[in-house]
Amino acid sequence: RGVPRYMATEADFTFGNRNWFFTRRDNDISSMEDIVGETIHHTSETSNSGHQMPSAIHTQDLDIEPGEDYEVEFSGGHTQSHRGIAIGDILAGPTCATCLVATGDDDEQVDLDELEVLYVSDIVPRSGYTINRKLHPDIIEKLDRIYLEGDFEGTAYSEDGPANDQFFQIDYPTHYDIILTIQEFNEVDYGEGL
């Protein structure tokens, strides 16, 4: 079975995404405690950043449980939440950071200067590259040299792959703790042997 070993990154070792909880600057919500008792829009039940992740993080890190401490309604997607909050139809909600910035760049109804981020999560890693745990150490050493010391700039990978052409080494305890927290909260069962 594969274990995560490498992740693409930018030169400053930026990787993954963050979960933001945001609202309009001109309403009565100025902290996460202010959402207790309110109706808050998550994006959709199947969205990691728009529902599953904030449900786990808000409950475990902030002691604010969606569905208990505030009523959850679903907007239908990130863009719908962004627009609804921007025009004042929705009070507040969670989203992925890059999703909100992209909507602000593309949608004139969403003025990022009028919005306020109340909560920023730890980084959630994007998908990593895995290796088979049964590989011979010599092969792993060669793969490490390729990924961690190789120069991918100007290659087909750099042109057709993600926008990142550098890699760093990852592991479960350091980089995937937030993922495991979210999936444990949502009772994801990986089955035997994982």
Side-chain angles (χ1 to χ4, degrees):
R1 301 199 183 208
V3 293
R5 182 94 176 166
Y6 317 106
M7 187 177 296
T9 181
E10 296 176 6
D12 61 357
F13 289 95
T14 301
F15 65 95
N17 200 355
R18 292 185 188 270
N19 185 257
W20 283 356
F21 189 95
F22 74 108
T23 188
R24 285 183 58 88
R25 290 184 186 277
D26 61 1
N27 66 30
D28 295 331
I29 303 293
S30 60
S31 71
M32 289 300 289
E33 290 76 21
D34 293 337
I35 69 174
V36 173
E38 300 288 350
T39 298
I40 301 300
H41 282 71
H42 288 199
T43 61
S44 66
E45 286 186 271
T46 57
S47 172
N48 180 53
S49 57
H51 178 61
Q52 295 174 12
M53 180 179 176
S55 294
I57 293 172
H58 294 172
T59 300
Q60 296 189 358
D61 292 353
L62 304 175
D63 199 27
I64 299 173
E65 184 173 352
E68 294 289 329
D69 294 312
Y70 65 80
E71 183 180 346
V72 175
E73 292 190 4
F74 294 102
S75 67
H78 287 280
T79 301
Q80 290 87 334
S81 284
H82 304 158
R83 286 182 185 148
I85 292 169
I87 64 174
D89 287 345
I90 294 175
L91 182 60
T95 189
C96 68
T98 54
C99 299
L100 180 56
V101 172
T103 301
D105 289 344
D106 296 337
D107 190 334
E108 60 187 34
Q109 290 182 308
V110 179
D111 183 352
L112 297 178
D113 291 334
E114 294 180 358
L115 304 177
E116 182 172 4
V117 175
L118 302 177
Y119 175 79
V120 177
S121 75
D122 290 337
I123 292 177
V124 180
R126 63 173 68 94
S127 297
Y129 290 79
T130 63
I131 61 171
N132 188 307
R133 68 178 73 182
K134 295 180 181 179
L135 285 176
H136 190 278
D138 291 347
I139 296 174
I140 294 174
E141 181 183 344
K142 289 177 182 175
L143 287 170
D144 282 351
R145 282 205 316 269
I146 290 168
Y147 276 97
L148 304 177
E149 299 172 21
D151 182 2
F152 292 88
E153 188 174 354
T155 67
Y157 172 83
S158 180
E159 293 171 9
D160 299 331
N164 317 95
D165 57 14
Q166 296 182 12
F167 291 86
F168 69 103
Q169 191 168 331
I170 58 175
D171 59 52
Y172 271 119
T174 306
H175 301 96
Y176 281 82
D177 180 66
I178 191 168
I179 297 291
L180 298 174
T181 297
I182 294 164
Q183 300 209 344
E184 180 180 6
F185 178 85
N186 290 296
E187 300 179 350
V188 174
D189 181 9
Y190 289 99
E192 293 293 321
L194 293 178

